[in-house]
Amino acid sequence: MRTERVGFAICGSFCTHERVLRELERLCGEYESVVPIVSETVCATDTRFGDARELLDTVECLTGRKAVSTIREAEPIGPKKLLDVLVVAPCTGNTLGKLSCGITDTAVTMAVKAHLRNERPVVLAVASNDGLSGAARNLGELLVRKNIYFVPFGQDDPAGKPCSLVADFSRIGDTVRSALEGRQLQPLLLRQ
């Protein structure tokens, strides 16, 4: 097992949670320490894709840890240097915007801010219906930021949702390993 400490932050984009949980399980099988972090929205929102409490129970069962779910709980990640790499999956357009502008009003954005103060890698697995419209500027801003790495992504439904982008979640592990080496996994843009 690898000894690097991995943070795994989960935001909205509820339709992708099932795929994201599969990758979380894989990371838990590869790394000794995986720290779950969930946004307040994830903690409080029951959707047609599942119950919030059930999701939280699954995340905590997979990682064997209580999830970080408040700004107060996330803040020590930086000063205590608790993580070697932090994954945000799915990373919604809303979270992209907040990260781009330095807004830290959720457990996830605080975790990212706190972690980046140590100049350690953050891996973003984008899932946004407006990735090529409203969130495009924020995506572009983050693509050039130091210590920010992206899971390869592409349009998930060009005909039906032409502005929607989604990461290939099955590449999270590869992207984490590359980010720990200080390089962006390529190719970044996926073809249909």
Side-chain angles (χ1 to χ4, degrees):
M1 302 250 326
R2 293 184 64 136
T3 58
E4 295 95 344
R5 298 160 302 167
V6 178
F8 199 97
I10 301 173
C11 297
S13 188
F14 297 95
C15 62
T16 65
H17 283 174
E18 185 178 325
R19 288 179 282 162
V20 165
L21 288 175
R22 282 195 298 268
E23 300 315 311
L24 173 59
E25 185 173 16
R26 284 191 183 126
L27 284 178
C28 290
E30 184 176 349
Y31 293 87
E32 290 177 4
S33 177
V34 178
V35 177
I37 304 159
V38 293
S39 72
E40 291 80 347
T41 300
V42 167
C43 282
T45 308
D46 295 332
T47 71
R48 63 188 170 103
F49 300 103
D51 177 73
R53 183 73 248 168
E54 188 176 303
L55 175 65
L56 195 57
D57 288 346
T58 300
V59 167
E60 291 177 345
C61 181
L62 287 172
T63 61
R65 297 174 180 265
K66 182 182 181 310
V68 171
S69 61
T70 67
I71 292 171
R72 184 176 184 163
E73 293 170 339
E75 190 275 333
I77 287 171
K80 293 184 178 181
K81 297 183 178 179
L82 298 177
L83 304 173
D84 295 304
V85 62
L86 174 57
V87 177
V88 181
C91 184
T92 62
N94 186 50
T95 299
L96 284 173
K98 290 177 180 190
L99 294 175
S100 173
C101 294
I103 298 170
T104 54
D105 64 351
T106 70
V108 172
T109 56
M110 176 55 80
V112 171
K113 174 192 175 194
H115 180 69
L116 282 172
R117 74 182 268 178
N118 299 315
E119 297 188 5
R120 293 181 176 171
V122 172
V123 171
L124 304 178
V126 68
S128 175
N129 283 331
D130 68 344
L132 292 176
S133 58
R137 173 186 294 177
N138 301 317
L139 179 66
E141 174 69 29
L142 291 168
L143 281 167
V144 298
R145 291 258 179 99
K146 184 179 177 186
N147 299 312
I148 301 286
Y149 301 88
F150 281 84
V151 176
F153 60 86
Q155 290 178 280
D156 56 316
D157 182 3
K161 301 187 301 181
C163 294
S164 182
L165 294 176
V166 69
D168 177 355
F169 298 114
S170 71
R171 305 293 306 275
I172 289 174
D174 294 337
T175 308
V176 167
R177 287 185 292 281
S178 292
L180 284 165
E181 295 171 359
R183 61 183 178 81
Q184 172 62 57
L185 186 66
Q186 295 292 339
L188 177 60
L189 299 177
L190 303 176
R191 293 178 179 226
Q192 284 282 318

